[in-house]
Amino acid sequence: MQRKIHITYNAPVTLTFILICGAVTLLGYLTGGRSTASLFAVYGLQLNDPLTYLRLFTHVLGHADLSHFLNNAMYLLILGPMLEEKYGSRAMIQMIVSTAFVTGLLHALFWGNTGLLGASGIVFACIMMASFTAFHQGEIPLTFVLVLILYLGMEVYNGIVIRDNISNLTHIIGGLCGSVIGYSLNRNR
């Protein structure tokens, strides 16, 4: 007897996060960017504005355009299911929420004159977490060292040499968050 093949929602946190990002990106198009600017981008800390506190978390859902969203979604689709299978859905939620908060807060405190939006901090956290998947107590995986040098080194270089609208520091902070989280999750196993 032949088994039926069916599609499964195999990485619920990753897939739901990407779907929400896609919906927010579409909403941004439909509102001419007003929804993105008001709800899904971090600027400076206006402590009397209640939306400031919300945006510290929601900025990872907003994207500047379709290309920005698709680039982040592709990386998340590659890395997210593997990480969610290894660490679990709860750990993925905690990583997304904590990375969003840390990157949003640091951006608002130090670079509040420019907007921050997009899931690239989450992507870099996933990249660094993925390099810890073969971690054993008392060892530092060479994959982690190489990823640290190549990805984060590239971001430092790009931040110094290239002038564009990309927040390289957010990538670095996201990568550091992923490193700490990946190390912590594996140390406790």
Side-chain angles (χ1 to χ4, degrees):
M1 183 170 184
Q2 205 172 27
R3 295 181 75 184
K4 287 187 175 184
I5 297 174
H6 61 281
I7 296 174
T8 62
Y9 205 71
N10 61 314
V13 172
T14 301
L15 292 169
T16 301
F17 181 74
I18 292 169
L19 288 172
I20 293 170
C21 289
V24 167
T25 302
L26 177 61
L27 180 63
Y29 273 110
L30 295 175
T31 62
R34 289 185 299 282
S35 63
T36 304
S38 63
L39 297 172
F40 303 104
V42 170
Y43 301 95
L45 286 177
Q46 295 93 26
L47 299 177
N48 59 346
D49 180 1
L51 290 179
T52 294
Y53 305 100
L54 176 69
R55 288 188 293 256
L56 291 175
F57 297 96
T58 62
H59 69 94
V60 298
L61 303 173
H63 288 80
D65 55 33
L66 186 60
S67 175
H68 185 210
F69 163 68
L70 290 175
N71 284 324
N72 284 331
M74 284 187 285
Y75 277 108
L76 291 170
L77 285 170
I78 292 167
L79 297 168
M82 172 191 61
L83 294 172
E84 199 164 340
E85 183 177 329
K86 175 157 176 88
Y87 300 119
S89 296
R90 172 182 264 166
M92 287 297 289
I93 292 169
Q94 291 171 338
M95 180 275 293
I96 291 168
V97 171
S98 61
T99 301
F101 178 71
V102 169
T103 57
L105 181 63
L106 290 175
H107 181 84
L109 287 172
F110 297 109
W111 298 275
N113 58 335
T114 61
L116 173 67
L117 70 155
S120 56
I122 305 300
V123 167
F124 273 79
C126 287
I127 289 168
M128 297 310 291
M129 281 178 69
S131 67
F132 271 102
T133 56
F135 175 82
H136 300 291
Q137 195 68 21
E139 298 177 355
I140 297 176
L142 181 58
T143 54
F144 170 75
V145 173
L146 293 173
V147 168
L148 182 71
I149 291 168
L150 295 174
Y151 271 98
L152 295 184
M154 183 178 66
E155 289 305 313
V156 169
Y157 172 81
N158 288 343
I160 294 169
V161 175
I162 299 173
R163 297 288 170 224
D164 55 19
N165 289 331
I166 296 173
S167 176
N168 301 94
L169 191 65
T170 300
H171 296 171
I172 293 168
I173 294 167
L176 293 174
C177 288
S179 298
V180 169
I181 293 166
Y183 176 79
S184 299
L185 288 170
N186 282 291
R187 187 191 66 200
N188 296 330
R189 288 185 177 256

